[in-house]
Amino acid sequence: PCPIRIEKVGKTFDNSLQAESPYILRGVDLVVNTGEFFILLGPSGCGKSTLLNLIAGFINPSEGILRLGEQKIEKHGKERAMVFQNAESSLFPWLSVRENVEFGLRMKGIPHKERQRISDQYIGMVGLTGHEHKFPQELSGGMKQRVQLARVLANDPAILLMDEPFGALDAMTRRSMQKELVRIWQQTVKTIVFVTHDIQEALLLGQRIGIMSLGPNSRITDIYDVPLAY
Ligand code: ADP
Ligand code: ADP
């Protein structure tokens, strides 16, 4: 029901030091369809995070327009949720795994029993059953990343925005998280926009890959359909 539509979007930061051409992004056009697994691929520094932050509504475009369905994108819409590269900074260290996963549900006032049912489901989905009572500092990097994913999924957003979510993990853990994400995507039919600079990861996960040029004035120069690897 709500594809992402990006039209002629440009972004410049007020404090930008690039005097000649202050635009990080310029002329970005993109439509991401509902239920699609879309990859934004490009070299480090090309503006992938900036574009994702625009889709999230964390920052505003300097020109052009971003829409969800017919609606102009607004700040902190509940239909979107972001998964960051570093779970370290997004988990509450004083809350257990279960409490972290239930945090958003608690904010919504969902009663105890129901919260528990939902958190059990997603803790199970990311393979952390049995670790509910542990605290973030007792977990490995990969486990923390799973907790972050479970927490985001528990809030049931229509759109998952993922900024190099597996970039900090070792190769084995990354591979298993990639498989898990595909399985979750197939089960839950979410729209995913996934940022990476890793071509192999892009080919493994994406249905379509948008290639971003190195900035300034970075934009999506090509879009490729990927024959699904799974
Ligand atoms: P990527 O995610 O592709 O690595 P980013 O979107 O993080 O790229 O950054 C693209 C460029 O924009 C970089 O040159 C970065 O320094 C700059 N940039 C990003 N955010 C800001 C900001 N808030 N203020 C100034 N420059 C920024
Ligand atoms: P990534 O490799 O994913 O781009 P970064 O560490 O470069 O991660 O950026 C993390 C966040 O900091 C992003 O949200 C980005 O917009 C912001 N950022 C990046 N560069 C700058 C900058 N020069 N000034 C302010 N914010 C920035």
Side-chain angles (χ1 to χ4, degrees):
C2 63
I4 302 164
R5 295 174 184 282
I6 300 173
E7 288 166 30
K8 298 187 171 54
V9 159
K11 181 66 185 174
T12 175
F13 292 100
D14 292 339
N15 61 350
S16 175
L17 298 174
Q18 294 164 301
E20 285 178 12
S21 184
Y23 282 83
I24 308 286
L25 302 171
R26 196 115 206 230
V28 177
D29 288 312
L30 177 67
V31 175
V32 178
N33 297 306
T34 302
E36 182 171 34
F37 198 140
F38 190 88
I39 306 275
L40 276 174
L41 177 67
S44 203
C46 74
K48 302 183 297 297
S49 294
T50 302
L51 184 52
L52 209 58
N53 287 338
L54 284 162
I55 297 170
F58 295 158
I59 56 177
N60 294 315
S62 308
E63 55 185 36
I65 189 161
L66 297 101
R67 288 198 187 84
L68 289 183
E70 300 308 315
Q71 299 285 318
K72 215 171 132 182
I73 281 186
E74 308 223 336
K75 269 187 189 149
H76 309 305
K78 62 181 183 305
E79 68 287 283
R80 284 154 289 154
M82 185 85 103
V83 179
F84 299 95
Q85 176 168 24
N86 194 348
E88 214 83 36
S89 51
S90 81
L91 295 181
F92 298 111
W94 60 86
L95 297 181
S96 69
V97 167
R98 178 184 294 288
E99 289 165 337
N100 264 290
V101 173
E102 290 187 5
F103 187 81
L105 303 170
R106 194 183 280 270
M107 300 285 280
K108 283 190 219 159
I110 293 173
H112 175 76
K113 273 258 160 60
E114 178 69 358
R115 279 205 313 265
Q116 191 143 12
R117 188 189 65 74
I118 296 170
S119 65
D120 278 343
Q121 180 190 345
Y122 289 102
I123 288 169
M125 199 180 256
V126 300
L128 283 178
T129 303
H131 300 282
E132 292 86 348
H133 302 294
K134 292 188 177 161
F135 287 84
Q137 65 269 22
E138 299 175 83
L139 305 174
S140 69
M143 290 163 86
K144 278 185 265 210
Q145 206 59 19
R146 285 163 203 267
V147 177
Q148 191 188 184
L149 188 55
R151 184 175 63 187
V152 163
L153 291 170
N155 289 322
D156 196 28
I159 300 173
L160 272 184
L161 304 174
M162 310 189 81
D163 194 353
E164 308 219 14
F166 310 141
L169 304 177
D170 65 82
M172 293 282 283
T173 311
R174 183 183 313 135
R175 189 69 193 92
S176 93
M177 292 287 289
Q178 288 166 336
K179 280 189 185 155
E180 226 159 82
L181 179 62
V182 168
R183 196 170 46 75
I184 289 167
W185 171 67
Q186 288 170 329
Q187 280 178 14
T188 58
V189 202
K190 295 200 180 295
T191 306
I192 300 182
V193 182
F194 187 106
V195 161
T196 184
H197 62 264
D198 179 346
I199 295 176
Q200 213 185 355
E201 179 167 62
L203 289 169
L204 199 64
L205 295 178
Q207 284 184 303
R208 281 198 306 152
I209 301 178
I211 312 284
M212 286 181 72
S213 53
L214 188 54
N217 299 323
S218 181
R219 62 192 176 83
I220 296 172
T221 52
D222 300 281
I223 293 183
Y224 295 101
D225 290 313
V226 184
L228 287 186
Y230 36 90

